[in-house]
Structure formats: C-alpha cells, structure tokens
Amino acid sequence: MERKDVSCDVLVIGAGLAGMAASLFALEKGLVTAQAGLPGETLFASSVLDLMAVTPIEEGRLWEDPFAAIAAEIAQNPAHPYAKVARKDIEAAFGAFTGFLAQAGMPYAGRDGRNVEILTPVGTSKRTYRVPESMWKAVLAMEEKAPCLIVDFEGLKGFSARQIAETQKADWPGLRFVRLDFPGMTGDLYVEKMAFALEGESVRQALAEAVRPHIGDAAYVAFPAVLGHYRPGKVFAEMERLLGVGIFEIPTMPPGVTGLRLKAAFEEGLAGKGLKSLFQKLVLGCRVEEDGSFLFSMGRNAEEFTVRAKAAILASGRFFGKGLKAERELVREAVFGLPVEQPKGRAAWHQKDMFDQAGHPINRAGIVTDARLRPLGADGLPAFPNLYAAGSILAGQDWIRMKCGAGTALATAYAAVNDIAAG
Amino acid sequence: MSRKPKRIETQALIIGAGVTGAGIARDLTLRGVSCVLAEKRDVNAGASGGNHGLLHSGARYVASDMEAATECREEGALLKRLAPHCVDDAGGLFVAVEGDDERYVADFPAMCARCGIEAAALEPARARELEPALSGRLIAAYKVPDASVDPFMLSLDNIADAGERGMVFLANARAAAFTVKDGRIVSTLLFDDETGEETEVVADQVINASGAWAGIVARLAGLDVDLVYSKGTLLVTQDRIADMVINRLRKATDADILVPGGTVSILGTTSVTVEDPEDCRPTIPEVDHIIEEGAAMVPVLETTRYIRAYAGVRPLFGKLASASSQDEDGGRGIGRGFALLDHARDGVVNFATITGGKLTTYRLMAEKAADLVCEKLGVAAPCLTRETPLPSHAGGKWTEPGLAPRTWLARRDPKDALLCECEMVSKGVVDELLASMPRHKSGPALLSLGLRSRIGKGPCQGGFCSLRVCAHLYDRQALYGDAGIEEIRAFLGGRWRGVSPILWGFPLMQAEFQEALHCGLMGLELHNHKSRKGGA
C-alpha cells in the first residue's frame, strides 16, 4: 500500500472544538497544519458557544458579563486555563472563529461582553455567549416574553413543544405550541432527514402552509433545530420569508443537526484553507527527532504512515473524546502518557449526588501546563518544548458546570498557536 | 393544615408492598378478606427490589440452615408451577475452584440429599461445556434446580390479582401513627411524603410487612422488633455472562452467586451490617470486592462491562441470631428464616409483624401471616395460594426483559416510537403502564414507570430515555408546569446511586457525556428545588 508520509509545522491531535479551532488559527497564521482524530464529539455539539456563565459553581451563581465571571473564577482558582490567556486574545479567538463559520455558511450572533439566554429542549433556559443566527431570535423572544408559537412534529421523540411551554409558562405565558405532521414523513422522524428535506423548496412551502394557520398573534415561531443541514442560512431565511414572522431554532437532543452543520462547516472550510486532514487516523506512537521535531506513527490500528511535525497541539478532549482514559483507580493521558492531575482514588472522583452543586472532582482533572500551555512532565518542567495542550483536557476547569467549554477551547487553541507562530 | 384525612375501613391493613406484603394481600383476598396495602414509597422499594432475583433450590443453605433449605426447595418448586411467567427456570451450578474447602465440597451432596435437594455431580469439563465462562481452575461442579425470578413482576402480579378482588393499594402512603386504645390499634394514619396528604385506615387487623422497616413501624405501637440490617450489594453486567445460576461451592460468603436476569447477569452479594435501613447505597469498595471474588469463579467478570450496582437491606430477625457470629460477618451467621410475631403477646391484640425470610419463601410467609390474621378475624377459609396459579397481569408484565421489544416488533405500528432505545420500550407500552398505575396526585411518574418497566435499565441508564419519556408524559398531559425538571432530576439521581460506583472505562465516558447533556446543555444542576415540600 502506498504510504503518504506527512510533514508539517504543527500537528493538531483531536477533532473536537479545540482541535478545529487550533487548525483554523494555525492555518490563518500561515503554518503548514495537519489534523488527526475522530470528529465524533462535534456531532454531539449543540453549536452554541459558551464563554463563562457560572462561578462559583457551588453557589450556582449566573453571570451576565462573561469576562467578569472569568475574572472572578481566576481570582478564586488561578489554575483555570483562562488564567493563561489575555481577554483581548479570547475576544480575538471568538472573532476569528465565528468569522470563519460565517464564511462557511453558519453565521453567529451575540452581544459583545454579554451572555444571552436560549431555550433548551426540556424548557429550561441556557446561558451562553454566541449562538448560531438561527437561534438568535430565541434570545429576543425570551427577553421580550413575546407571544410565540413552538412547533413540534409527530414522531420526533424527545422534543415536546408542550413541555417547553408548560415548563416556561409561569414566566412566559405567551408561549403556545402546536404539533404538526412533518411534510412527507411518518413514523419515527430523524432530524438529519428532516433537515435535508427542508433544503428542498416544496417541503419548506408545505411546512409553511401547515404552520401558517396557527401563527395567530405570535411574534415568533420556534422549531426544533432541523432547518437545513448544508445550507442552514438559506433554509432559515426562506422559512422566515414564507411565514412572515421571526423564527428561531431550539436545539434537539444530541446527536442533532447542529453538530452535523458544524462538522460540515469545519471540514469544508478548513480543507479550503489547505488543512492536511488526517481524520479517522489516530496517533499510535511518537518519537522525538534529533532536531526536536516529532515523528508520529499514525493509523487506525497498525502504522499506515508517519507525520513529521515541528510542534503539536494536544486537543484530544476528556473521557468522551478519549484524550483521557480512566482505569479502575487511575486516569491516564492517552497519547503521550502525560501526568494527569486527578483526585486520588475512584472514591474521590464523583459526588454522591449526581447534581451536587460542587460538581464532580474528576471533571477538574486533566493536564497541567506552564504559562505557555505546554504540558508538564513528572518533573514539573514542560514534557516537550514544542508540545501544547488546548481545550477540555486541561486541568483546573469544569467546563460543563461553569459553561466555559467553547471559550476554553478557542482561547487556549488561540494562545497555543500564537506561541508556536512566535517561536 | 387541618384538611380532614380521607378515611377507609377494611378488615386488614397490610403495611409494606414488598413481595411479602403483596403476597399477603393476594392470600387474604383469596380467602374473602378485604384489605388495604399501604406502601410508603412504591412496590418493592426495599429488599424485595434490591436482591439477586434468585429462586433458590435450597442448596445454598444446606450447611447453615436445613429448615430454610427445605422451605426453599418446596417453595421454589411451587413457584415454578404456579407463576411460571415470573420464573426463568435456568437451572443452577455449584462450582468449586482450586483452593476452596475440599471438605465442604465432599460433604455437599449428602447435605443436599438430607434436605431432599437434587444435586447431580458434573465433571468440571462438562460444567465448562455448559457454561464456557467458568474458570479453568474448577475442581468440582454440581447441578441443582436453581432458577431466577423477576421480583417486580411477582409483586405487581400479586397486587394486581388482589386488586381484582377489591384490595386497595396505596403507594406513597407511609404509616405515620397508630391510634392505640385498650390494647388495640383502632386506626392508622398514612402520610404522603410528597403531597402531605393524609389517609386514615380503620382496620380490624394490622400486619406489619415492612421488611427492614418493621422495627420502625412496630415502634409506632410502642413495640420493639429486634432486627439486624444487612446490606447486600450487587452488580449488573451489560451482557448475560451465563445461562444458568452459578454458585460458588463453599460456605456462603460474599460475591459467590451469578444469576441470569434476562439479557444481563447479576453478581453478588455482600453482607454488611448497617445501622439504618435507608443506608443502602452500593459503595466502591464493595463493588471492587465483588468483582475480585466473582472473577475467581468466572474470570471474565474482571474485564466485562458493568451497567450499574444496587443494594438492598435484608431484615434479619435478631432473635434468630446465633449470638456470637453477627458482627464478624455482617450477619451471615443469622438464619435466613422468617419471623411471624403476634403482638397480642406484647399487649396489642390486633397487630402482627412478619419479617426476615427470603424472596423464594415469600408465599409461605404470606400464608402464615394470613393464617394468623384469619384466625383472629374468625375467618375459616383455607389458604389457596398453594394451588391457585398466579395470573399474569398487564401492569406487571413490562418488567420482563424482551417482552416490550417483542411486542413492539409484533405490533409494527409506525407511530409507536421507541422511547427507551436500550430496552426497546415504546410509547404504547408507556401509555399502557400509565393507565395501569395507581393514581398519584403528584408523585414521581418517571420513577413509577421505571419500576414497572425496563425503562432506564439498559446501558444508557436513563440518560436519554428519561428525557424522551418525560417529553411523552407532557404530550399525554401526565405532567404540567415545570414538574418535568424535578422528574428528570429524581430519576437520574436514582440511577446515579447505582452508576456512580462503577464509573471507570466506558461507563465513565458515558457519564461525562450525560453530564454534558443534562448539565451543560439543559442546566438541570441549576434548577435545584431545595425547598421541596415534605420537609425533613
């Protein structure tokens, strides 16, 4: 079999949000960039971009100003990865990232320096920083508590418009709901198929006709997130035009279309920028060459080719992303065997109560780095001069409870790439 | 506060809807006695729901307790005949591995014969043909008539059968106070801890069948029941490891039984004396110990994937204890027999307690308790449960693994979507269950559905299906307002008790993903209804 050995300035390991952001930023710096990993995790993304909303999590304190929340968190917890990235770099990272997604057909909206709230599929509200444009009017509708119609579909499991309206009704009595048949589909509905179908004009028209009689006084109409897969911007604009009122999407249970859209946008957009994509390939082994560059052995199971890289960014995620592996008593880092800061022994990993306000200690475990985001070895010094870590694998944060996942991913990827480009 | 409690009059009040209470209810109604079955939570909330589901041949007790062994043999055979739909007559093996006590192995067949239990010797190689998962270090094997039984189906069917003859079942009805006058309980106050609703039951006879809570209930009448609480922890594997029940051939100790439970296997158990019957969480050290011990018999248990752990608290009646051996071994020295206490002797004439015992002998326990009640009531009708088959009932059948998938496949209704994809429980099944469930005014609907079906019992442990079922409950107008948030929190919180001790490898990845879904996206951790009613 023909081997395609690769040579690059930077190998990004991991294909979640942090990995995608690292590749984007590296390409924009003119670095020759390769990226490996399984883009599975992205498929589960809701596609909203959190920056920071809750700290201290023990108190469940919600913040409007994410940068004030970051400052408060760092003051209390200097180990948080945000302590290593300046505010201007965080803002620049968001700007570059959403700018790229807009070009790839997935524009974002938000307010500089302010968090916003959207509806979730169980009817709770979620505080976040940037949302796809298709969800922006959820923010407005919720602020105005405007009369609003939520549409759901017979056969779409786990999404009940009645549930959302009921859950919100004490605060938002103007929410109404209607259940419709999705044009041309019966039985169990799958969001991917629905989204694809809505890329066709006739299905959009049929849907608009079915919705129209129920609009009444509604200022907005909400749909589960199925408005288009590859061309969501167009589907969204067309539906809005056909209905004559503002519309917005509510995320569905994962895996949803929102994750598919992100994946498609990344893969197309990054390829267009010259990414050497090695998706579906894993790092099997690594050695350091005489000049200090890495020589990675790559493949699915056995070595298929090598990658020579002057630097690498470890953005392999946590347990679900397979960057961290939990044995019965010990957590290990999967690629380099880096030391993992962790609570000692399994009994200390989780709280007795699943929803314990303090969060689970294991979710703060991870890789410790120097100020330049280079992972530390057992001796407390950078394990390699040219290895960086970005995203959720970093220790000192609980991205799920703090609502800082996307922000941590973008900020640390941005800072790591800057350091590589400067060196 | 001063709402007037609802008042019910009946011949017999049974406290506790475990399998014993359910059995008593059926036994009494078959004799024409009216009764009320009051349960503080829901069916099988105690030890009846936290056990192996093992229908003992009796062979496990041949060395320690001949009487219990003989009772198990008789009752096991009866149940296989009268309630075959609740039983998986898988057969059982007793196996010894290198290092096990060879004296015990040698004495085993004679001890079984003494209790009338068939035990056929098998060559170790033959045993491994039957069960390839067995250790290569086997030194002896015997085949016995063990089986597994679905304790939820058993209780639900007993309750449903009694219900058809007029028995009234009250869930979420904790016995909170007795009014005792002249040595008689003249009325019992039941309290709904969810809603604060009170019900007064005026009964001629009161039977305390509250299992590990029997001491607490007896104390309401000023009486002492001397119980030792023995916690047993069990582990559920993702796959069925063995077809038959596999017992370690040695003096009964920890983690020496692997029981098939439909599509899974259940490994256990430990025996740890605890102070409080509410203290029944499986712990990490227990889980690790169970795996280590179980792997000696079935090596794949070391590496197989587990779905969850659970625990139950066995009520062991202290007076049956051989006084010296209690503390050393978590109560294993105490007999597994049952105790029927007529409190007339203690000065409360219409009150009795039945506790201890085993799942396998529940029918016998119910018979003895019902005999006492009938004697006091002056009812001459004989016990019929020894001959009358237990009918299968719509409300009980959905606990069986495989039934919901088969039904769904057979119906082929495109609108009948699967809400629980792991265990293939569809909307139609949920709707049937909703119709068959006792009416709760508030009450946790998701938990009740979970108890009556396989929902949440598969590999996702409720992570997805709790959300889908909750959405469906809103669509069916079984939930209103923001009640769904607490429903999901309570359901997932309950599953967490079982999942948290096994979080490494794949289950940890899954737990992290679910945390991202439930907390990251939905923010359920921020909706903390601290000030729930009910207090304490």
Side-chain angles (χ1 to χ4, degrees), chain A residues 110-189:
Chain A
R111 295 195 182 107
D112 286 341
R114 313 302 296 169
N115 279 323
V116 297
E117 285 192 8
I118 58 160
L119 282 173
T120 80
V122 291
T124 52
S125 59
K126 171 175 171 60
R127 205 168 279 212
T128 185
Y129 187 58
R130 287 286 185 271
V131 301
E133 216 164 69
S134 66
M135 297 181 188
W136 177 245
K137 290 193 179 96
V139 175
L140 304 179
M142 198 139 144
E143 284 170 355
E144 298 161 16
K145 300 285 185 266
C148 191
L149 175 72
I150 309 176
V151 175
D152 70 5
F153 297 105
E154 183 66 44
L156 179 60
K157 293 183 293 198
F159 192 99
S160 163
R162 178 191 286 271
Q163 175 179 11
I164 297 168
E166 279 284 338
T167 302
Q168 286 285 335
K169 81 178 168 193
D171 296 329
W172 192 352
L175 273 184
R176 288 185 293 116
F177 56 89
V178 64
R179 171 151 298 184
L180 301 175
D181 287 327
F182 190 83
M185 288 188 197
T186 53
D188 245 351
L189 298 189

Side-chain angles (χ1 to χ4, degrees), chain B residues 218-264:
Chain B
R219 218 159 296 140
L220 298 175
L223 304 175
D224 277 327
V225 171
D226 179 18
L227 288 182
V228 173
Y229 305 125
S230 164
K231 180 177 73 161
T233 289
L234 303 107
L235 271 172
V236 184
T237 59
Q238 157 128 351
D239 301 307
R240 183 160 169 165
I241 308 272
D243 286 331
M244 302 168 78
V245 177
I246 298 177
N247 303 263
R248 186 85 167 264
L249 177 48
R250 63 178 178 187
K251 189 166 162 278
T253 181
D254 286 352
D256 46 12
I257 314 183
L258 183 71
V259 180
T263 56
V264 303

Side-chain angles (χ1 to χ4, degrees), chain B residues 67 81 114 151 157 190 208 252 305 401 415 438 457 469 471 473 478 512:
Chain B
E67 190 184 354
R81 190 155 53 77
R114 204 170 58 177
D157 280 348
L190 305 176
N208 173 14
R305 188 176 150 196
K415 290 204 160 179
K457 304 211 171 57
V469 174
L473 291 175
E512 184 185 59

Side-chain angles (χ1 to χ4, degrees), chain A residues 24-38:
Chain A
L24 169 67
F25 299 147
L27 290 164
E28 291 191 336
K29 288 277 182 192
L31 298 170
V32 178
T33 307
Q35 188 178 4
L38 309 174

Side-chain angles (χ1 to χ4, degrees), chain A residues 216-394:
Chain A
D217 66 344
Y220 301 94
V221 175
F223 294 93
V226 295
L227 302 178
H229 178 174
Y230 296 102
R231 296 176 302 159
K234 181 179 178 206
V235 174
F236 181 82
E238 280 293 300
M239 280 308 297
E240 203 158 60
R241 190 183 59 78
L242 286 168
L243 291 173
V245 291
I247 66 173
F248 63 87
E249 288 188 313
I250 297 172
T252 58
M253 270 172 68
V257 176
T258 50
L260 293 170
R261 287 176 192 156
L262 267 183
K263 181 171 176 278
F266 283 133
E267 288 183 354
E268 277 180 42
L270 294 177
K273 289 182 179 294
L275 178 71
K276 294 172 188 269
S277 67
L278 310 171
F279 297 134
Q280 308 301 332
K281 303 298 178 193
L282 303 172
V283 176
L284 301 174
C286 157
R287 68 186 161 89
V288 178
E289 300 284 82
E290 269 178 28
D291 65 352
S293 59
F294 291 109
L295 188 69
F296 291 103
S297 165
M298 309 288 299
R300 217 36 235 244
N301 299 305
E303 177 175 301
E304 294 167 33
F305 59 93
T306 60
V307 174
R308 182 183 300 273
K310 290 181 191 153
I313 299 176
L314 183 65
S316 48
R318 302 183 67 77
F319 303 102
F320 188 63
K322 300 194 176 75
L324 298 177
K325 286 198 165 141
E327 295 165 8
R328 230 191 272 172
E329 286 302 331
L330 198 69
V331 177
R332 296 181 192 279
E333 188 279 312
V335 179
F336 297 91
L338 295 167
V340 177
E341 187 173 79
Q342 58 190 290
K344 203 168 182 309
R346 200 161 97 247
W349 291 2
H350 293 95
Q351 307 280 3
K352 275 190 150 185
D353 174 5
M354 178 174 182
F355 294 108
D356 191 299
Q357 287 283 109
H360 302 291
I362 192 72
N363 292 339
R364 294 174 188 252
I367 301 298
V368 179
T369 70
D370 69 355
R372 293 163 60 192
L373 293 165
R374 296 179 302 173
L376 302 182
D379 56 3
L381 297 169
F384 304 91
N386 49 351
L387 176 66
Y388 296 78
S392 64
I393 196 171
L394 293 167

